[in-house]
Amino acid sequence: SQTIHQWPATLVQPVGSPLSLECTVEGTSNPNLYWYRQAAGRGLQLLFYSVGIGQISSEVPQNLSASRPQDRQFILSSKKLLLSDSGFYLCAWETQRNTEAFFGQGTRLTVV
Amino acid sequence: AQSVSQHNHHVILSEAASLELGCNYSYGGTVNLFWYVQYPGQHLQLLLKYFSGDPLVKGIKGFEAEFIKSKFSFNLRKPSVQWSDTAEYFCAVISTSGTYKYIFGTGTRLKVLA
């Protein structure tokens, strides 16, 4: 069966420090991968999506970037965190048949 | 641009009341439509989905949704809610024409009073 792993679950980082959140999927190949930020009253804001290795589409201009170095690995990064980067980040995958999305456990990021 | 609107941000109902949550999407092509639910402290999970065929789809736990193409709507309904339906509900859309953007609405927080 397919599973998705996202870590860490919580993270506290100082302003100006780098960020790396990792997401891996098991049990499937060539998934579409997504990074979302969830905020109260704003739903799930799509940040990045990827349809293949090295293929990244950015939805919102911001201080973050994403990479997909392997088929089932999706990384969310920042060189210098801002206070406004605090939030709850979710990774998700779905098959390339545009069907159900499956979510990781999420990462609560607090920038201090 | 592809977008999803959920009109109700907070809904409070008593048990046994009927529920309808609105969802409208904006996209010129063909889409697949979804409702997800997030119970307190849990992951998002799929409630129901529409790909094609009968526009009235039934999901888990007695939920159903109706796709009205002319109105670009996919409203969620349940005839009689229970306290355990307290959760946040998200409508989502993905185009079938290859843009691969899985877009979610802002969510509706439902609280059911026992």
Side-chain angles (χ1 to χ4, degrees):
Chain A
S1 63
Q2 303 95 343
T3 55
I4 179 168
H5 303 282
Q6 185 182 340
W7 68 93
T10 59
L11 189 61
V12 180
Q13 292 283 98
V15 168
S17 63
L19 172 73
S20 180
L21 302 182
E22 189 162 342
C23 173
T24 59
V25 180
E26 296 177 358
T28 188
S29 59
N30 202 27
N32 289 338
L33 295 170
Y34 303 84
W35 278 111
Y36 293 91
R37 179 161 50 203
Q38 184 176 13
R42 299 178 65 180
L44 277 74
Q45 182 186 31
L46 179 61
L47 303 176
F48 301 94
Y49 65 99
S50 171
V51 301
I53 297 173
Q55 300 179 61
I56 309 295
S57 296
S58 174
E59 282 297 293
V60 182
Q62 58 205 322
N63 186 43
L64 302 169
S65 62
S67 61
R68 186 170 177 175
Q70 300 180 46
D71 180 46
R72 289 170 288 179
Q73 184 184 29
F74 204 26
I75 298 171
L76 183 69
S77 304
S78 174
K79 291 182 179 178
K80 288 186 178 182
L81 283 169
L82 305 172
L83 286 174
S84 57
D85 292 323
S86 294
F88 190 64
Y89 292 85
L90 282 166
C91 178
W93 75 272
E94 55 102 12
T95 68
Q96 295 205 3
R97 294 191 298 274
N98 303 324
T99 57
E100 178 181 357
F102 299 90
F103 290 84
Q105 66 174 12
T107 297
R108 175 72 60 190
L109 171 66
T110 304
V111 182
V112 296
Chain B
Q2 192 176 332
S3 66
V4 178
S5 299
Q6 290 182 243
H7 318 299
N8 318 99
H9 298 295
H10 291 90
V11 174
I12 301 175
L13 295 172
S14 298
E15 274 195 314
S18 64
L19 170 72
E20 180 159 3
L21 302 182
C23 172
N24 285 89
Y25 68 95
S26 172
Y27 185 69
T30 306
V31 295
N32 291 341
L33 298 152
F34 308 82
W35 276 97
Y36 285 83
V37 60
Q38 187 173 32
Y39 298 103
Q42 296 188 26
H43 292 192
L44 278 152
Q45 56 186 282
L46 183 68
L47 203 54
L48 49 77
K49 59 190 176 187
Y50 173 79
F51 291 169
S52 64
D54 188 344
L56 184 63
V57 293
K58 296 190 183 298
I60 59 172
K61 303 185 181 185
F63 285 91
E64 64 180 32
E66 184 175 13
F67 171 52
I68 301 179
K69 188 174 181 180
S70 61
K71 295 184 178 180
F72 296 88
S73 70
F74 190 55
N75 292 354
L76 181 71
R77 299 194 293 247
K78 186 170 184 179
S80 176
V81 294
Q82 302 172 315
W83 176 80
S84 58
D85 294 324
T86 295
E88 190 161 15
Y89 294 82
F90 295 91
C91 183
V93 167
I94 188 168
S95 81
T96 60
S97 59
T99 63
Y100 304 109
K101 292 199 296 184
Y102 213 118
I103 303 293
F104 285 78
T106 52
T108 298
R109 287 184 182 271
L110 171 65
K111 183 171 184 177
V112 180
L113 305 175

